[in-house]
Amino acid sequence: MGNRTENHPLGGGNKDAYEKNQIICEIDNPAASQTVEVDMPKKGVLALWLVSGGNSYKWCYIGCNAAGSGAGFIGKLYFKQKCHLRLTVGGQREDSKLQVAVWGDKSVWYDLVVATSSKDNWSADPRGSVGTITVNRSSTFNTFFDDWEANGNGGGGGYGASVWNGYGSGAVNGYGKLQYLRRKP
């Protein structure tokens, strides 16, 4: 029997929110932005993969210049309290993000990780338009660890090199995955 708690007077408070290593949600190369909401009903550690949408813009005159790539983040997040999560993965020139809301109130969402896409689709030289990564390290919901983050790579004769696994560059759009790892950090 687990430890007695306020919510589980007969025990059972030490169970994991999900099965260990369970993929909670995954969005792979969507044609347009897609969003999934999931509940984090207990404390626990999630792994996050997040890459923004691509940008297939290319401007040619004498030579051709292609847009830079989107940004990406891979890391672990320990959630210290129950909460709601919203994962959005971008299509062409769309951002990807992980947001959090207070348990029982989805009226306000706070950004945890935002990976922007290369936005340029009009410039004569789109090479320098790269995605950027923003991580809210002052969040009271969670802490980050074992994380890697990268701004996008510049374009040129070809599209900017993807920051992870081909996603977020040219016609290849974003990627997002949440995986439950364990209860404690």
Side-chain angles (χ1 to χ4, degrees):
M1 184 188 308
N3 295 333
R4 293 175 186 222
T5 67
E6 180 181 327
N7 293 331
H8 299 279
L10 298 177
N14 288 332
K15 290 185 176 183
D16 287 292
Y18 296 94
E19 295 291 322
K20 289 182 180 175
N21 298 316
Q22 177 182 346
I23 295 172
I24 300 169
C25 63
E26 183 174 22
I27 302 171
D28 185 344
N29 190 23
S33 182
Q34 286 186 11
T35 300
V36 174
E37 290 183 9
V38 296
D39 291 335
M40 189 67 183
K42 295 182 178 184
K43 296 178 183 180
V45 177
L46 297 178
L48 169 67
W49 291 259
L50 191 69
V51 180
S52 68
N55 184 349
S56 59
Y57 178 70
K58 187 179 269 191
W59 187 88
C60 298
Y61 181 62
I62 294 173
C64 290
N65 292 322
S69 71
F73 176 93
I74 298 172
K76 296 175 185 158
L77 295 81
Y78 171 61
F79 288 91
K80 303 178 258 189
Q81 60 193 34
K82 60 185 180 177
C83 56
H84 302 289
L85 299 172
R86 181 163 66 184
L87 179 69
T88 301
V89 177
Q92 280 288 290
R93 292 186 308 277
E94 295 177 326
D95 302 342
S96 295
K97 60 180 121 180
L98 178 66
Q99 297 174 297
V100 64
V102 173
W103 186 260
D105 182 7
K106 294 182 182 181
S107 64
V108 178
W109 291 92
Y110 302 96
D111 291 341
L112 291 179
V113 180
V114 178
T116 67
S117 170
S118 166
K119 299 283 194 255
D120 199 327
N121 66 348
W122 58 270
S123 170
D125 190 359
R127 294 175 291 179
S129 173
V130 300
T132 57
I133 192 76
T134 304
V135 179
N136 180 359
R137 297 202 185 276
S138 62
S139 168
T140 58
F141 291 92
N142 68 295
T143 55
F144 296 89
F145 63 101
D146 294 342
D147 56 301
W148 164 89
E149 58 188 75
N151 290 327
N153 296 307
Y159 299 105
S162 168
V163 294
W164 184 76
N165 223 21
Y167 293 99
S169 180
V172 181
N173 292 322
Y175 180 81
K177 179 168 77 170
L178 283 172
Q179 181 179 18
Y180 181 81
L181 299 180
R182 60 188 175 274
R183 194 166 27 98
K184 296 182 180 180

